[in-house]
Amino acid sequence: MKVLVTSRERLTLDEAWTLHLRGLMLPPDGAAPQQIRQSEAVQLFLMRAMRQQLDLQIGPEDLQVIWRICAAVGGSPLGVELAAAWVRLMPLAQIGQELTRSLDLLEDSSPVRARHHSVRAVFDQSWAQLPPREQSALARLSVFGAGWTGQDAQAVAQADRSVLARLVDHSFVEITSQGRYRLHPLMQQFAAERLHTQPELEEDTTALRRATMLEFVAAAGQALRLYEAEGTWVERVFQEFESIRRSLSEWLRRGEVDAAATCLNTLRPFWMRGLALPEIRHWYGLVLSRQHPSSPALHTDTLLLAGEADMYLGHLDSAITLMTASLASARTAGRPVPLTYLLIGQAAWRRGDLTLARHHYTQAHQTFVELANWPGVAASLNNLALLLKESGDLKGAKTALEDALEAKRRSGGDEDTVLINLGTVLRDLGYHGAARERLVQGLHGVMQRGYRQFIPEALSELGRLALAAGHPVLAVRLLSAATALGRELTVVRPAHEQAESDRAAQQSEALLGQDAFADAWQAGQELPLEDIVQQLRDWSDVPLPNAGTSQSG
């Protein structure tokens, strides 16, 4: 005899073979409307919703809302059905809003089976079977965002491996493919409600989570500054980002500005890669709207790094204002400020004020040399080279970049952005083969290290090189891919660099004709980054003759 048993709890039978059932398939991030409509969870929602309202009209914007509703219930078939039943009484957007506030929406007002007439009823029955220690652990685990490690569970919720194993066996906790633990979105709400009934326990648990997040951010920032397993640490920050977000919100609500500012500043090696930058700048705005951090040094650094975030987002006037305030504060305290000089110079250069940029770059370079700070020396030489390039002194720019590359290698730092800039100078000098080698090497480096904000620049410069070398179709695809990725990252390129890319696109269109250009541009918009890299790999096998050395100014 073979028996098929469904249960929220693992059967303790040697003969039992266990298959974990997950929620229905959800659309991937960035899915097109047709992909959303065809996903399992959305299909079920539409089927049940049209039972309630046969003439229901669903547009592309409605599909986005339905996607969020299905994600809020984690693809749970019961949750999807109960949410869809409300279309007869409220708009889709309101259903989504109500789901974020309470599980009470997920209830059938005319139940046939009492145990399954609501999500809460299902969870209540399972909760009642847990012993007090596991109930407490489950409630405390709700303070995490998108998941946690076993070490975090022990530190914050006093949940050791045996407790976690029992919660997994009772279908309260899930294990991800990365070996992390998480709660289903609906279970997260249920457990958080249970914790909220015990204010002292909730306060103690959230305090432990905030302390754990500060320790994690410090470890991540240190590793990224030292270039240690960068891809792994960037991924870990993304995994913990919801818990970091919750901690920031709590610190600000409690008036603990120092902790919030320290967290944001320590995360600089993460967000300066262009990752989550708009949200980070939002948090900086909230921090700066409160009272100043108690430490003048912390306030100075916060002003500077908020200005740097503004710079990457293209808010150049605000960036220079914040950085100048940071500079004044640092000078009052008698602190060395080479990084401040460097960043003000970068913002001025992006704004087109080359005189101000040169002044601050020079001061930064002199101070870095005095401090024997070789990464800083390399960064200042790299930026001074861009000024030489702007003025037409390509040979001088090439020499400065080669010196910057040597300083980078001396310090053990990343060489990728210097390689990209050196590639552009070599291209303008006519050394197409050498330029391609440097640009591709730099692109691979920024991809591997997670510096996504520099990928559009590398793709764009490679596109201009492809055009100069007589490959206009590849040029258009690269320029288009750079535009699409830049839009996705919300990182704003300097105006003069964007203008050069636009001119290259116009020249390509003149060579190819309107129809062929449009086809190549569309292909670049749709190509995954991995496919673009493969095309560059194929192109690298094609010899590129030098075009002859251009004259430097």
Side-chain angles (χ1 to χ4, degrees):
M1 180 174 66
K2 294 182 180 180
V3 179
L4 176 64
V5 179
T6 61
S7 172
R8 286 189 55 80
E9 182 177 353
R10 179 192 292 271
L11 301 181
T12 56
L13 299 174
D14 291 340
E15 298 83 359
W17 293 61
T18 303
L19 173 65
H20 288 283
L21 298 179
R22 307 297 184 189
L24 297 174
M25 190 69 70
L26 293 166
D29 291 338
Q34 189 61 24
Q35 286 179 285
I36 297 175
R37 184 181 288 273
Q38 292 175 350
S39 68
E40 295 175 348
V42 173
Q43 283 279 303
L44 178 61
F45 185 97
L46 291 173
M47 187 186 305
R48 294 297 186 260
M50 288 180 179
R51 284 186 178 182
Q52 304 294 328
Q53 186 178 333
L54 191 58
D55 61 347
L56 182 66
Q57 299 297 315
I58 301 295
E61 293 183 0
D62 297 321
L63 286 173
Q64 294 286 339
V65 177
I66 294 172
W67 177 9
R68 291 195 291 272
I69 292 172
C70 293
V73 300
S76 161
L78 177 61
V80 169
E81 291 202 25
L82 293 174
W86 286 97
V87 298
R88 72 189 191 278
L89 296 176
M90 64 179 72
L92 290 169
Q94 187 177 350
I95 295 174
Q97 292 170 359
E98 292 291 333
L99 278 177
T100 64
R101 287 195 282 264
S102 173
L103 292 176
D104 292 335
L105 187 74
L106 301 179
E107 181 172 350
D108 188 344
S109 59
S110 55
V112 176
R113 295 186 301 271
R115 285 200 307 125
H116 295 109
H117 78 281
S118 75
V119 168
R120 190 186 300 280
V122 174
F123 290 164
D124 280 338
Q125 183 189 42
S126 297
W127 172 272
Q129 297 177 23
L130 290 177
R133 182 187 178 195
E134 290 163 23
Q135 288 182 346
S136 175
L138 179 61
R140 300 183 77 171
L141 289 170
S142 69
V143 302
F144 290 109
W148 65 87
T149 65
Q151 183 178 358
D152 293 338
Q154 180 66 55
V156 174
Q158 297 179 0
D160 58 23
R161 297 286 182 181
S162 62
V163 171
L164 288 174
R166 286 193 292 274
L167 291 175
V168 169
D169 287 345
H170 282 77
S171 301
F172 282 107
V173 172
E174 302 173 355
I175 304 177
T176 71
S177 58
Q178 294 86 17
R180 288 169 59 84
Y181 300 90
R182 70 182 178 193
L183 292 174
H184 187 283
L186 297 179
M187 181 57 67
Q188 182 105 25
Q189 279 198 52
F190 176 83
E193 289 176 2
R194 294 287 179 166
L195 182 62
H196 196 57
T197 63
Q198 305 175 70
E200 291 185 4
L201 184 63
E202 183 177 29
E203 176 59 31
D204 176 63
T205 307
T206 54
L208 288 170
R209 194 249 292 120
R210 291 192 297 273
T212 299
M213 285 301 102
L214 268 186
E215 292 175 2
F216 167 75
V217 165
Q222 177 74 356
L224 291 172
R225 279 193 299 274
L226 297 176
Y227 313 110
E228 296 176 352
E230 293 169 276
T232 300
W233 278 103
V234 166
E235 179 62 26
R236 285 198 61 193
V237 174
F238 271 124
Q239 291 172 343
E240 302 291 355
F241 207 77
E242 176 58 29
S243 291
I244 293 171
R245 183 184 289 124
R246 291 183 177 204
S247 298
L248 286 166
S249 179
E250 291 165 11
W251 281 319
L252 291 173
R253 187 173 65 248
R254 296 166 59 87
E256 298 174 7
V257 179
D258 283 20
T262 298
C263 179
L264 292 171
N265 295 350
T266 307
L267 278 174
R268 178 184 181 245
F270 169 79
W271 59 253
M272 70 178 294
R273 288 165 156 81
L275 306 170
L277 194 53
E279 181 176 352
I280 289 290
R281 183 57 184 89
H282 167 74
W283 288 113
Y284 267 119
L286 294 177
V287 167
L288 292 174
S289 69
R290 266 60 169 186
Q291 63 185 28
H292 293 172
S294 58
S295 162
L298 181 58
H299 179 56
T300 299
D301 292 343
T302 304
L303 287 169
L304 176 63
L305 300 185
E308 184 180 18
D310 265 344
M311 178 181 70
Y312 292 138
L313 291 169
H315 309 315
L316 300 180
D317 291 340
S318 171
I320 291 177
T321 298
L322 288 167
M323 292 174 185
T324 303
S326 174
L327 180 62
S329 176
R331 283 173 171 168
T332 300
R335 296 177 64 201
V337 288
L339 179 61
T340 311
Y341 288 138
L342 189 70
L343 292 178
I344 294 177
Q346 287 183 5
W349 175 72
R350 287 168 176 259
R351 196 172 63 175
D353 190 343
L354 302 188
T355 301
L356 181 62
R358 184 182 301 276
H359 170 71
H360 282 90
Y361 283 161
T362 302
Q363 287 188 297
H365 181 65
Q366 291 172 349
T367 310
F368 280 131
V369 169
E370 292 169 2
L371 296 172
N373 183 322
W374 297 111
V377 169
S380 55
L381 284 171
N382 182 45
N383 291 332
L384 283 166
L386 296 179
L387 291 178
L388 292 171
K389 178 175 178 289
E390 287 286 319
S391 66
D393 184 1
L394 296 177
K395 289 184 177 179
K398 177 175 174 289
T399 299
L401 287 167
E402 288 168 345
D403 290 342
L405 199 56
E406 178 61 30
K408 283 283 189 182
R409 289 168 177 168
R410 181 173 180 175
S411 65
D414 63 287
E415 306 169 3
D416 313 313
T417 55
V418 179
L419 287 169
I420 292 170
N421 289 332
L422 181 57
T424 65
V425 170
L426 290 170
R427 179 200 60 212
D428 293 347
L429 283 167
Y431 301 131
H432 290 167
R436 180 176 61 187
E437 180 182 350
R438 302 296 189 279
L439 286 168
V440 170
Q441 187 179 352
L443 172 63
H444 287 163
V446 295
M447 289 176 58
Q448 183 178 4
R449 305 166 81 87
Y451 282 89
R452 296 193 71 201
Q453 67 159 313
F454 296 117
I455 296 177
E457 176 188 351
L459 292 175
S460 180
E461 298 299 347
L462 279 162
R464 293 178 60 204
L465 173 62
L467 177 63
H471 300 273
V473 173
L474 178 61
V476 174
R477 289 178 178 176
L478 291 170
L479 292 167
S480 175
T483 300
L485 184 57
R487 185 168 55 244
E488 176 188 332
L489 293 175
T490 68
V491 173
V492 178
R493 295 185 65 198
H496 59 279
E497 288 187 357
Q498 186 59 54
E500 290 172 349
S501 297
D502 293 342
R503 279 195 295 272
Q506 293 166 3
Q507 292 167 6
S508 300
E509 185 174 12
L511 286 170
L512 293 171
Q514 195 171 33
D515 291 343
F517 173 85
D519 289 343
W521 188 269
Q522 185 62 34
Q525 294 281 297
E526 297 173 353
L527 275 177
L529 191 55
E530 294 77 12
D531 291 352
I532 296 171
V533 171
Q534 182 58 51
Q535 291 195 12
L536 288 172
R537 192 175 291 117
D538 296 339
W539 184 45
S540 295
D541 295 332
V542 179
L544 289 185
N546 292 330
T549 305
S550 302
Q551 296 297 313
S552 59

